[in-house]
Amino acid sequence: MTGSTPFTADDYRARMARAARAAADAGLAALLVAPGPDLVWLTGYTPTAITERLTLLVLADGQDPVLVVPTLEAPDAAHATGAPALTLRDWTDGKDPYAATAALLDSGGRFGISDNAWAMHLLGLQNALPGTSYASLTDALPMLRAVKDTAELELLAAAGAAADAAFEEIRKVPFGGRRESEVAADLAELLRRFGHSQVDFTIVASGPNGANPHHENGGRVIERGDMVVLDFGGLKDGYGSDTSRTVHVGEPTDEERRVHDLVREAQEAGFRAVRPGVACQEVDRAARKVIADAGYGEYFIHRTGHGIGVTTHEPPYMIEGERQPLVPGMCFSVEPGVYLPGRFGVRIEDIVTVTEDGGRRLNDTTRDMVIVD
């Protein structure tokens, strides 16, 4: 998180208290939060260097939050925005950080622990407290960061607008005769120009490469007649953007127009399914039905969406079997696609937030086919 975010120590205090209560309601003795997006969201603290030294936030309902931190990192931790809401417990090299942490924990408890915690740290805690058990935060509290407050929604909207501005500029540059990697570099530069501090991905998948949803940009030269899938995003002021549009170099064939229109209709159907109380899977079903009814169901090979916040992929997921109801403030992508192996692909993606009576798009660029040079 950067200094431009509007969050205060009181905001972080409220988040930590809410997380501790949610853990208790889930039957957990405490949450153990390692460096990563959960720690940033809860405290505003990102260690200057994530090393093998243990850093761990301990949150238990009814107790003050404690951040176990290496002594050499303690000065930086003390300057984090959320530091006034924390008790720092530092440990020095040569001491046992697991014993120091174990003193804060119930020796027979079950704990939620960050998905990205190092295995060596989890094993160290298990050795120090052999009677304990652990659950990943995604399994135990999948909706911990899912519902955004007003300030978070404003940051996500600003990130979406910045990604939109990048698309409006990239559609003006030459595509034909250039390598995918060159257009991807242009996209990354545009994201930074419009305020992104971190570029997470800039997929430029041309022609047959478009049939691979996670294509890695390479040396393929984009040709006239190619469909080109663009998928790009990153972090602006600590919150994510992620959008996809599919453009065409020169005039498309009738089939290419038909498939693009189909994906646009599916994306619209997924968006129209968004409203409070609806299960996440219904967004997937609505988009998937349009594509399946047109005979392309086997070529829609991924979920319809994923949550977004301080990371570009997080719960909730718009996928069959996810019965979590939508709640105002949730933010996620709606991104159906059709991928025809060896030929071309089409994906259209917007970030959507749930409102009191439906949904609101955070991406506003045209979803019609764009012709580029």
Side-chain angles (χ1 to χ4, degrees):
M1 303 276 266
T2 71
S4 60
T5 56
F7 308 119
T8 67
D10 286 340
D11 294 324
Y12 291 118
R13 183 179 287 107
R15 289 179 183 179
M16 286 187 276
R18 190 174 89 205
R21 286 193 300 272
D25 291 343
L28 300 171
L31 296 183
L32 308 177
V33 184
D38 293 315
L39 186 64
V40 173
W41 184 78
L42 287 163
T43 69
Y45 175 54
T46 301
T48 54
I50 299 176
T51 71
E52 73 282 357
R53 295 182 175 92
L54 178 71
T55 295
L56 204 66
L57 174 67
V58 179
L59 296 178
D61 195 30
Q63 300 179 27
D64 291 337
V66 177
L67 182 65
V68 179
V69 61
T71 300
L72 76 168
E73 299 284 348
D76 288 332
H79 285 94
T81 306
L86 293 166
T87 297
L88 294 182
R89 181 75 60 85
D90 67 312
W91 61 276
T92 58
D93 284 351
K95 303 294 184 181
D96 184 352
Y98 308 112
T101 306
L104 305 171
L105 305 178
D106 178 351
S107 60
R110 179 170 176 76
F111 303 101
I113 190 165
S114 299
D115 296 6
N116 57 327
W118 286 29
M120 64 181 285
H121 296 324
L122 175 57
L123 294 170
L125 289 171
Q126 289 178 318
N127 288 335
L129 293 169
T132 55
S133 59
Y134 300 84
S136 75
L137 285 193
T138 292
D139 288 339
L141 296 175
M143 297 297 116
L144 178 63
R145 295 187 275 116
V147 179
K148 275 63 180 181
D149 62 25
T150 299
E152 290 181 291
L153 291 174
E154 290 176 354
L155 291 168
L156 282 161
D164 284 356
F167 176 73
E168 294 294 357
E169 291 300 314
I170 199 67
R171 61 185 288 187
K172 301 174 186 176
V173 310
F175 278 65
R178 301 177 68 209
R179 298 183 187 279
E180 291 174 340
S181 57
E182 293 172 327
V183 177
D186 288 346
L187 258 178
E189 176 56 32
L190 287 166
L191 286 171
R192 295 188 186 97
R193 182 194 303 175
F194 291 110
H196 282 67
S197 59
Q198 176 177 314
V199 176
D200 287 343
F201 47 89
T202 53
I203 294 173
V204 177
S206 63
N209 289 340
N212 177 0
H214 283 174
H215 170 65
E216 292 286 339
N217 304 316
R220 184 182 187 275
V221 175
I222 301 170
E223 301 175 356
R224 189 165 186 81
D226 278 348
M227 196 85 89
V228 185
V229 179
L230 306 175
D231 186 352
F232 52 97
L235 298 183
K236 180 182 184 296
D237 295 329
Y239 278 75
S241 69
D242 186 2
T243 188
S244 299
R245 294 293 187 262
T246 303
V247 303
H248 198 277
V249 185
E251 285 300 315
T253 65
D254 289 345
E255 182 189 21
E256 287 170 333
R257 282 196 180 276
R258 186 170 63 252
V259 173
H260 191 280
D261 287 346
L262 174 64
V263 174
R264 180 169 51 80
E265 291 168 12
Q267 208 269 347
E268 178 69 16
F271 170 68
R272 294 297 175 192
V274 174
R275 61 185 182 276
V278 167
C280 292
Q281 67 181 1
E282 295 303 327
V283 178
D284 182 84
R285 287 175 174 178
R288 198 169 297 277
K289 183 176 188 302
V290 173
I291 292 173
D293 286 353
Y296 287 87
E298 66 183 293
Y299 303 112
F300 181 9
I301 56 176
H302 55 70
R303 65 196 175 201
T304 294
H306 58 82
I308 190 169
V310 294
T311 59
T312 49
H313 282 211
E314 61 185 44
Y317 298 105
M318 307 302 112
I319 189 171
E320 181 66 31
E322 179 52 80
R323 295 176 175 81
Q324 172 70 36
L326 299 180
V327 175
M330 283 182 174
C331 291
F332 47 85
S333 66
V334 178
E335 52 176 306
V338 169
Y339 308 94
L340 302 177
R343 301 183 62 207
F344 65 89
V346 177
R347 181 165 64 257
I348 300 173
E349 174 185 15
D350 293 327
I351 298 302
V352 173
T353 183
V354 184
T355 64
E356 294 296 332
D357 58 1
R360 176 169 69 96
R361 284 185 167 103
L362 300 186
N363 296 105
D364 293 319
T365 57
T366 183
R367 284 164 285 280
D368 294 335
M369 181 178 287
V370 169
I371 308 300
V372 297
D373 292 333

